[in-house]
């Protein structure tokens, strides 16, 4: 089974991944080296810090061999047809992680491989991040019955959060400018599992929420729209006044990298409510959990 969308795990699978991630965090030694002899290809078309390093470290912890595959040398789609690259890599790898501009490239590769393909971020979803985010919330409170407010761009991170949040039994509320709403199809999919509310302003989304989440206003690949986006998202900065509207115990979340003064103030990012570095750390444990789930030892 591949992991192109967090929905691919299903509610039970997601619950299992969260439990396993927490177990790996508590006791990494129990799983150390269990995937010895396996090969994990890691392909990146876009920059990355957390995903690159955490996936490499997770593979190393489990004894699998991480193999970086650079777009410049592999030339997927430029030097060679993706379908050919997929069939070649299938002969070498046990799993292939890919960070891509276009989600359709993941689907094309997956269609031509037996080995599972993992979405390390596409223009459509960021499912590995969403698993780490569920782990981070579960460390604070029970997921089921909690509410998660997402403020800002209805982007890849927002899509995966809506799906993961509802699968985990959370109410998800999105506050975004009307021109930057999440995809209606993804909203409908998430609504099959739970409640998703969409607001045109941040305040009603955040009211009483247990977690307040934001992401950059300009994602990788959208740099040409940066100025237009800066003005479209005016009023959507997560600041102390907005956090005051959330539940008194609410945490602040961000997948990082963050742009202080744009989607979040430095004050909120650095506040005791901020769990952004727990989220970043949990990328390691949750990627290890995903590898264990995808690769029979
Ligand atoms: N959050 C996240 O995916 O970070 P990177 O882009 O640094 O991998
Ligand atoms: N939405 C952001 C997430 C970065 C981790 C992007 O796609 O650039």
């Amino acid at each position: 089974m591949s992991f192109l969308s967090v929905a691919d795990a299903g509610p039970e699978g997601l619950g299992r991944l969260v439990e396993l991630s927490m177990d790996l965090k508590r006791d990494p030694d129990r799983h150390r080296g269990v995937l010895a002899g396996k090969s994990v290809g890691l392909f990146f078309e876009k920059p990355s810090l957390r995903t690159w390093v955490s996936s490499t470290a997770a593979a190393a912890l489990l004894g699998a061999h991480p193999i970086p595959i650079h777009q410049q040398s592999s030339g997927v789609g430029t030097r060679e047809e993706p379908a050919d690259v997929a069939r070649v890599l299938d002969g070498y790898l046990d799993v292939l992680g890919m960070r891509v501009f276009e989600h359709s490239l993941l689907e094309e590769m997956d269609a031509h491989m037996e080995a599972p393909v993992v979405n390390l971020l596409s223009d459509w979803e960021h499912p590995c991040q969403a698993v780490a985010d569920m782990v981070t919330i579960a460390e604070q409170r029970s997921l089921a019955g909690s509410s998660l407010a997402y403020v800002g761009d209805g982007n890849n991170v927002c899509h995966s959060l809506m799906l993961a949040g509802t699968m985990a039994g959370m109410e998800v509320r999105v506050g975004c400018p009307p021109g930057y709403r999440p995809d209606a199809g993804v909203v409908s999919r998430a609504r099959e599992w739970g409640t998703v509310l969409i607001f045109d302003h941040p305040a009603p989304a955040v009211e009483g929420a247990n977690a307040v989440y934001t992401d950059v206003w300009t994602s990788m690949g959208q740099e040409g729209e940066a100025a237009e986006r800066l003005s479209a998202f005016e009023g959507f900065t997560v600041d102390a006044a907005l956090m005051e509207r959330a539940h008194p115990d609410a945490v602040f979340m961000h997948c990082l990298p963050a742009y202080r003064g744009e989607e979040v103030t430095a004050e909120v990012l650095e506040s005791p409510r901020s769990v952004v570095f727990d989220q970043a750390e949990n990328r390691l444990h949750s990627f290890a959990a995903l590898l264990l789930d995808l690769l029979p030892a």
Side-chain angles (χ1 to χ4, degrees), residues 137-188:
I137 298 170
E139 288 176 328
Q140 306 287 335
R141 61 193 326 119
S142 157
L143 289 165
S146 296
S147 54
L148 168 66
Y150 177 93
V151 175
D153 188 17
N155 61 14
N156 46 5
V157 168
C158 176
H159 283 172
S160 293
L161 272 179
M162 291 191 306
L163 295 166
T166 51
M167 284 197 294
M170 303 181 81
E171 178 177 284
V172 181
R173 310 172 197 164
V174 179
C176 58
Y180 294 89
R181 288 195 184 131
D183 177 77
V186 180
V187 173
S188 304

Side-chain angles (χ1 to χ4, degrees), residues 141 206-211 243-251 272-273:
R141 61 193 326 119
V206 167
E207 207 66 56
N210 300 117
M243 285 303 293
E244 274 304 301
R245 291 179 174 270
H247 189 277
D249 296 335
V251 291
R273 289 176 156 203

Side-chain angles (χ1 to χ4, degrees), residues 103-276:
H103 193 78
S104 57
L105 176 59
L106 290 172
E107 293 171 332
E108 188 178 357
M109 296 289 289
D110 188 42
H112 292 91
M113 292 185 74
E114 289 293 322
V117 177
V118 173
N119 179 358
L120 301 179
L121 181 147
S122 69
D123 57 354
W124 200 244
E125 272 205 51
H126 196 0
C128 297
Q129 179 69 50
V131 178
D133 296 337
M134 292 302 112
V135 173
T136 309
I137 298 170
E139 288 176 328
Q140 306 287 335
R141 61 193 326 119
S142 157
L143 289 165
S146 296
S147 54
L148 168 66
Y150 177 93
V151 175
D153 188 17
N155 61 14
N156 46 5
V157 168
C158 176
H159 283 172
S160 293
L161 272 179
M162 291 191 306
L163 295 166
T166 51
M167 284 197 294
M170 303 181 81
E171 178 177 284
V172 181
R173 310 172 197 164
V174 179
C176 58
Y180 294 89
R181 288 195 184 131
D183 177 77
V186 180
V187 173
S188 304
R189 185 87 204 274
R191 283 181 175 152
E192 289 172 21
W193 287 300
T195 303
V196 178
L197 303 170
I198 310 283
F199 301 94
D200 292 345
H201 300 284
V206 167
E207 207 66 56
N210 300 117
V212 179
Y213 200 120
T214 191
D215 182 20
V216 292
W217 293 338
T218 300
S219 284
M220 291 179 278
Q222 299 173 331
E223 290 78 6
E225 302 170 20
E228 189 186 315
R229 285 171 167 271
L230 257 185
S231 72
F233 288 103
E234 210 176 306
F236 283 78
T237 303
V238 178
D239 58 15
L242 188 64
M243 285 303 293
E244 274 304 301
R245 291 179 174 270
H247 189 277
D249 296 335
V251 291
F252 170 73
M253 304 181 75
H254 193 309
C255 58
L256 302 179
Y259 296 99
R260 291 165 174 80
E262 291 190 17
E263 74 275 7
V264 60
T265 60
E267 185 187 6
V268 168
L269 190 76
E270 301 288 356
S271 71
R273 289 176 156 203
S274 172
V275 293
V276 299

Side-chain angles (χ1 to χ4, degrees), residues 28-29 31-37 60-64:
D29 284 336
H31 305 275
R32 202 177 290 279
V34 296
L35 296 184
L61 169 81
L62 299 174

Side-chain angles (χ1 to χ4, degrees), residues 44 47-52 99 120-121 126 129 220 255-257 283:
F44 287 81
S48 172
L49 172 69
R50 281 144 289 271
T51 307
W52 176 276
R99 170 166 288 197
L120 301 179
L121 181 147
H126 196 0
Q129 179 69 50
M220 291 179 278
C255 58
L256 302 179
R283 294 295 307 276

